[in-house]
Amino acid sequence: MNHDTAATAPATEDTAATGAPRLFALAPAGSELEAGDAVFWGIAFGDHAMAYRRDPDTGFREQGICESAEEARRLFSSGEPEPLRLIWF
């Protein structure tokens, strides 16, 4: 699977023209995004982003609606030992 690991990834002209949402993950800085490495999964729209996680050990669910995927990364990094990495799909 080819994904962009840049902190921010500009939308392509096709994405901007159609308004198609983009999928992203928030993962620990050193992970290769193997199964279960993502802390949050999200979807970014033109004017906001939604992020969701379910802790596999406790079942605790957490979600947020932010202005962007980058804002979600900053928000949800606050409880982590290191800042989370934003990965685009």
Side-chain angles (χ1 to χ4, degrees):
M1 178 178 292
N2 185 9
H3 41 259
D4 183 352
T5 59
T8 58
T12 64
E13 287 182 24
D14 290 340
T15 300
T18 64
R22 293 188 65 195
L23 297 176
F24 67 91
L26 303 176
S31 74
E32 295 296 322
L33 199 63
E34 299 295 325
D37 282 348
V39 176
F40 284 87
W41 289 97
I43 186 165
F45 299 91
D47 62 347
H48 70 284
M50 299 174 6
Y52 171 85
R53 86 173 204 143
R54 180 181 176 277
D55 186 301
D57 298 326
T58 66
F60 177 75
R61 290 178 174 88
E62 188 173 5
Q63 61 191 9
I65 299 175
C66 300
E67 289 185 11
S68 66
E70 178 59 28
E71 182 186 354
R73 185 197 66 78
R74 286 191 306 267
L75 174 69
F76 294 117
S77 288
S78 64
E80 299 296 319
E82 294 184 29
L84 297 173
R85 182 171 60 129
L86 174 59
I87 302 168
W88 291 102
F89 293 92

